[in-house]
Amino acid sequence: FIEKHGDKTVMKNNSLILDRKVQGQGLGTKILADQVKQAAKMGVSRIDATAAGQPGKDHLNGYYTWPRLGYDAPLPSKVKEKLPEQYKQAGTVLDLYSLPGGTEWWKENGEGLEVSFDLTSDSRSMKVMDAYIEERKKRSLKPLPQGKESFQEAKRLPSRWTELELSAEEEAALDAAWKRLHAEGALKR
């Protein structure tokens, strides 16, 4: 849904859950990429979502996956207390992800939280999404699903739902995108 927060228009995603049978085909990423593009055109300032899950506790991986795609949030105080010295300067999840080894540390120590995707054209969120889409093209990965047919197929599939899981190829493209962003210093504040 969309709501006003002062002079800003904010979109809220309550959930994105895909059947396991369509996992790893790029449908979740396609939905997010299309949503980002259309929301920005509509003048939406940001997209808010709940990034659920925690390491080893359940099948939900949003706490880790959504920031890899550009969502950000302040680090929870109980997580900040556990940060190793080399990560103490991180104030947000993207700050942590921009540090060598920070992504891996968050995957092992992070937790579910409320995240936002900043739709400003030069935001860190947009830089991450743009780098990922560019990396997919470079790697000649199968194009993200197009049109109504992909969504109709997703709706027909039964039970055994999970949160967004990326294929090995998508993970590799994200790894390469993040490596490039690190090398360019593109996410530093």
Side-chain angles (χ1 to χ4, degrees), residues 11 46 74 128 143 150:
M11 180 179 284
R46 70 177 193 264
V128 171
S150 61

Side-chain angles (χ1 to χ4, degrees), residues 9-10 54 61 86 97 99 102 104 107-108 125 141-142 148 151 158-159 161 169 171-172 179-180 182-184 189:
T9 303
V10 178
Q54 54 187 312
N61 62 17
Q86 70 266 30
Y97 276 31
L99 299 170
E104 294 79 10
K107 186 175 186 179
E108 296 300 318
S125 297
L141 289 180
K142 170 172 99 170
K148 263 188 350 191
F151 298 102
S159 62
W161 298 92
E169 294 86 6
E171 286 282 358
K179 185 176 181 179
R180 191 187 73 184
H182 284 150
E184 294 171 357
R189 290 184 183 237

Side-chain angles (χ1 to χ4, degrees), residues 13-55:
N13 284 341
N14 286 332
S15 62
L16 175 60
I17 302 172
L18 301 172
D19 188 286
R20 288 186 189 274
K21 291 180 182 178
V22 296
Q23 292 286 316
Q25 297 176 31
L27 183 58
T29 307
K30 167 67 173 154
I31 292 168
L32 176 60
D34 283 350
Q35 184 180 53
V36 164
K37 183 178 176 182
Q38 295 305 318
K41 280 183 188 177
M42 292 172 33
V44 174
S45 302
R46 70 177 193 264
I47 302 170
D48 291 343
T50 299
Q54 54 187 312

Side-chain angles (χ1 to χ4, degrees), residues 1 16 31 63 79 111-112 117 125 127 142 150 155 158 176:
F1 60 88
L16 175 60
I31 292 168
Y63 80 97
V79 172
E111 61 182 42
F117 192 103
S125 297
K127 287 177 182 177
K142 170 172 99 170
S150 61
K155 282 200 247 175

Side-chain angles (χ1 to χ4, degrees), residues 77-179:
S77 55
K78 66 182 179 179
V79 172
K80 285 183 86 165
E81 291 170 6
K82 297 190 301 185
L83 286 172
E85 193 59 42
Q86 70 266 30
Y87 304 133
K88 292 280 186 199
Q89 74 269 28
T92 72
V93 179
L94 285 184
D95 290 344
L96 184 59
Y97 276 31
S98 71
L99 299 170
T103 304
E104 294 79 10
W105 189 90
W106 179 255
K107 186 175 186 179
E108 296 300 318
N109 299 280
E111 61 182 42
L113 67 170
E114 297 301 313
V115 294
S116 294
F117 192 103
D118 182 350
L119 294 168
T120 308
S121 62
D122 64 343
S123 71
R124 297 190 310 165
S125 297
M126 294 297 275
K127 287 177 182 177
V128 171
M129 180 58 72
D130 291 346
Y132 172 62
I133 290 170
E134 183 180 317
E135 194 59 42
R136 282 186 64 87
K137 288 177 186 173
K138 272 199 254 177
R139 292 169 174 268
S140 300
L141 289 180
K142 170 172 99 170
L144 293 173
Q146 299 293 315
K148 263 188 350 191
E149 300 78 31
S150 61
F151 298 102
Q152 293 299 343
E153 179 64 20
K155 282 200 247 175
R156 278 198 302 273
L157 295 167
S159 62
R160 305 220 51 203
W161 298 92
T162 185
E163 236 185 0
L164 180 68
E165 288 181 21
L166 302 173
S167 68
E169 294 86 6
E170 289 173 312
E171 286 282 358
L174 265 172
D175 289 342
W178 275 96
K179 185 176 181 179

